[in-house]
């Protein structure tokens, strides 16, 4: 007797259906189109849990930063207004301990992730996008806890990364679990996962509208899925309310009064130049990240090597962080610091040039080597540094009338929006982070200029080019709905389904010559036989190598 447990896929919900009174509150798997009223309860539930996940991530990251980076290593990074306000950057009391603490945190975090949930390594947003396309009901529940702990350890010890990737993967995994437990169809499960992603990012950045727009834009490079937007708005507002109830509703980068008489002709010329520079910075950021990531994936194969690679990279990041501010940790506090006119005017131009370059190198080493963290936020830090540099150079030429704040904000949007293929969501999110909607116009100009430079560069390679008009799974759902047949949700991707032959007389198969052997239906070809071509699978249904495996929680 074998006691081995089968883990080939997630547990089906058909054996334990929801009570009828509860099932009425969730989308019906048999429906070909779901009204918003059926999504209110699941969207509120997913958004609330996403907000709690963001609260846990924010609190645990703050605790790890104080314990590891500040108390043990003696390094005090900049802080955002949400964390108490930015402060003067002083040299570390124990500079030799900073690289060691960063390496130790990366080693512990990676070992924890490899042991319990290997999909929690690296940046989480791309994993969530891959799951949405290839297995929306297959993300494991344990991913939420593993990603939370691993990211807090990595970033809290000095690793360079963002919080949005962990927040996105945590909330997307919960949306996937909800879809699986409630028996949603494949199309509905994809919607649940996407609104979880949107609410997690919107909560951690205190930007619900930007998060909802991001969820609609992030799955595709050339289109946005407007159908998911109303549900994402409900979930993002719920996540924002939960996070704000714990940490307040102030903008992440604080409220800033007008610094200068306003915009003049010189400002718009300089903003266009800032957009072009940020487009170049976005391309450099994307290229550097994938240069490290792909080489690590190709050459680092064994489990001990996968655990050791982020630790070795963290040593270099720790040394780099001692030389350039904003490299260690998220760097969000540096973004707010760069909005201060006196601080930017007092920094050397070479230091302002080094900030975005060092953040690019630090993030590529930390997350590209397999460390747990996001690549969304650091790209905004790179754009903020580029915008501050452009303002400083323009100030010497007497071009800008305003202070550095507009250039920092439009730099954040112009650097990230085009390479993430989510220009609208990122632009709205950047303005929400400073609570200044007047920057939408200058931001649009900068984003358009940056898009002319970035071209087809993409930060998330799991994105599809365009939204499929109707996938194979959705065709099955629509056909069964029209015929009145009850639909049983299938957690296995459409590309992996095995067709079942109806009983009856089987036609005599025609022999196919293959290398001197006759290959017939149901027979096994000889070793010398040529491979028989498999049926073509639509590109949108093909599983990607990075897609998470379906497994029980």
């Amino acid at each position: 007797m074998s006691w081995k447990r089968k883990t080939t896929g997630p547990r089906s919900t058909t054996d334990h259906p929801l009570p009828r009174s509860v099932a009425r509150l969730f989308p019906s798997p048999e429906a070909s189109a779901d009204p918003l009223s059926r999504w209110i309860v699941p969207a509120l539930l997913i958004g609330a849990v996403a907000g709690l996940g963001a609260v846990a991530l924010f609190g645990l990251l703050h605790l790890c930063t104080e314990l590891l980076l500040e108390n043990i290593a003696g390094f005090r990074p900049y802080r955002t207004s949400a964390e108490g306000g930015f402060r003067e950057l002083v040299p570390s009391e124990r500079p030799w301990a900073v690289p060691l603490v960063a390496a130790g945190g990366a080693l512990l975090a990676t070992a924890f992730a490899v042991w319990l949930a290997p999909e929690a390594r690296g940046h989480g947003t791309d994993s969530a996008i891959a799951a949405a396309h290839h297995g929306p009901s297959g993300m494991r529940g344990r991913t939420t806890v593993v990603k939370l702990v691993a990211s807090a350890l990595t970033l809290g010890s000095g690793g360079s990364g963002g919080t949005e990737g962990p927040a996105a993967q945590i909330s997307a995994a919960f949306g996937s679990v909800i879809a699986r437990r409630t028996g949603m169809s494949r199309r509905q499960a994809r919607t649940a996962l996407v609104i979880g992603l949107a609410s997690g990012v919107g909560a951690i950045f205190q930007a619900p509208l930007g998060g909802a727009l991001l969820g609609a834009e992030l799955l595709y490079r050339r289109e946005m899925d407007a159908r998911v937007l109303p549900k994402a708005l409900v979930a993002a507002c719920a996540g924002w309310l939960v996070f704000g109830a714990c940490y307040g509703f102030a903008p992440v980068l604080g409220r800033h009064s007008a610094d200068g008489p306003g915009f003049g002709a010189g400002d718009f010329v300089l903003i266009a130049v800032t957009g072009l520079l940020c487009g170049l910075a976005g391309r450099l950021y994307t290229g550097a990240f994938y240069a490290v990531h792909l080489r690590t994936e190709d050459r680092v194969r064994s489990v001990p090597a996968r655990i050791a690679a982020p630790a070795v990279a963290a040593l270099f990041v720790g040394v780099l962080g001692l030389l350039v501010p904003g490299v260690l940790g998220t760097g969000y506090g540096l973004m707010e610091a760069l909005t201060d006119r006196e601080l930017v005017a007092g920094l050397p131009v070479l230091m302002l040039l080094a900030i975005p370059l060092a953040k690019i190198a630090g993030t590529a080493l930390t997350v590209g080597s397999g460390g747990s963290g996001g690549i969304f936020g650091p790209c905004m830090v790179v754009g903020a540094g580029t915008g501050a540099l452009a303002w400083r150079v323009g100030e010497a030429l007497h071009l800008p009338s305003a202070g550095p704040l507009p250039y920092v904000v439009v730099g954040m949007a112009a650097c990230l929006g085009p390479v993430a293929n989510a220009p609208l969501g990122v632009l709205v999110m950047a303005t929400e982070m400073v609570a200044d909607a007047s920057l939408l116009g200058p931001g649009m100009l900068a984003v358009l200029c940056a898009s002319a430079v970035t071209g087809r560069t993409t930060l998330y390679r799991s994105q599809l080019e365009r939204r499929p008009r109707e996938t194979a799974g959705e065709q099955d759902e629509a056909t069964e709905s029209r015929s009145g047949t009850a639909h049983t949700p299938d957690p296995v991707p459409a590309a992996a389904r095995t067709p079942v032959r109806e009983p009856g007389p089987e036609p005599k198969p025609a022999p196919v010559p293959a290398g001197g052997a006759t290959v017939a239906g149901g027979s096994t070809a000889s070793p010398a036989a040529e491979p028989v071509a498999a049926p073509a699978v639509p590109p949108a249904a093909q599983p990607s190598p990075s897609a998470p495996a379906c497994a029980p929680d």
Side-chain angles (χ1 to χ4, degrees), residues 57 60 108-121 140-154 166 169-170 372 553:
L57 177 62
L60 188 57
L108 184 61
T110 310
F112 180 71
V114 169
W115 175 40
L116 290 177
E119 65 269 24
R121 296 170 59 249
R140 301 195 291 177
R142 72 174 66 176
T143 304
T144 59
V145 178
V146 175
K147 190 68 176 179
L148 172 68
V149 176
S151 301
L153 285 172
T154 301
Q169 192 169 13
I170 290 169
S372 182
D553 301 337

Side-chain angles (χ1 to χ4, degrees), residues 427-449:
L427 176 58
V428 172
M429 182 175 292
T431 58
E432 285 183 292
M433 291 172 69
V434 294
D436 192 350
S438 66
L439 299 176
L440 286 173
M444 291 174 61
L445 174 61
V447 169
L448 288 173
C449 293

Side-chain angles (χ1 to χ4, degrees), residues 131-366:
H133 290 312
H134 307 293
S137 61
M139 295 186 73
R140 301 195 291 177
R142 72 174 66 176
T143 304
T144 59
V145 178
V146 175
K147 190 68 176 179
L148 172 68
V149 176
S151 301
L153 285 172
T154 301
L155 303 179
S157 61
S160 177
T163 54
E164 84 301 323
Q169 192 169 13
I170 290 169
S171 53
F174 181 75
S176 178
V177 171
I178 286 291
R180 184 162 68 246
R181 296 302 183 191
T182 57
M184 292 185 185
S185 66
R186 181 182 177 87
R187 172 178 52 82
Q188 294 165 342
R190 182 167 60 246
T191 300
L193 188 151
V194 170
I195 66 176
L197 184 154
S199 56
V201 177
I204 202 69
F205 282 129
Q206 290 286 69
L209 179 56
L213 290 170
L214 196 72
E217 287 184 294
L218 209 54
L219 294 188
Y220 310 104
R221 299 182 186 182
R222 301 298 176 191
E223 292 183 356
M224 68 180 297
D225 189 358
R227 298 175 302 178
V228 79
L229 189 56
K231 300 130 185 171
L233 282 170
V234 175
C237 286
W240 171 68
L241 289 172
V242 170
F243 187 87
C246 297
Y247 290 109
F249 294 94
V252 173
L253 302 185
R255 300 182 186 273
H256 302 269
S257 58
D259 187 10
F263 290 106
D267 286 284
F268 286 103
V269 172
L270 192 56
I271 283 174
V273 174
T274 301
L276 296 174
L277 292 176
C278 287
L280 292 173
R283 293 195 66 159
L284 180 60
Y285 178 82
T286 305
F289 171 76
Y290 279 107
V292 176
H293 174 68
L294 296 178
R295 282 175 173 79
T296 302
E297 291 297 312
D298 289 341
R299 300 178 183 179
V300 180
R301 299 284 187 176
S302 64
V303 172
R306 288 186 178 273
I307 296 175
V312 174
L315 287 172
F316 293 100
V317 175
V319 174
L320 189 61
L322 292 173
L323 303 175
V324 183
V327 174
L328 301 182
T330 61
Y332 299 161
L334 177 66
M335 287 196 296
E336 183 172 355
L338 292 175
T339 62
D340 185 80
R341 178 190 287 265
E342 294 182 0
L343 187 145
V344 177
L347 287 176
V349 175
L350 289 179
M351 179 60 72
L352 289 173
L353 177 62
I355 286 174
L357 296 177
K359 194 63 178 177
I360 289 173
T363 307
L365 288 172
T366 299

Side-chain angles (χ1 to χ4, degrees), residues 74-78 87-93:
F75 185 87
R76 295 168 60 83
Y78 285 113
R87 56 199 180 190
E88 294 293 331
L89 191 67
V90 296
S92 173
E93 302 170 359

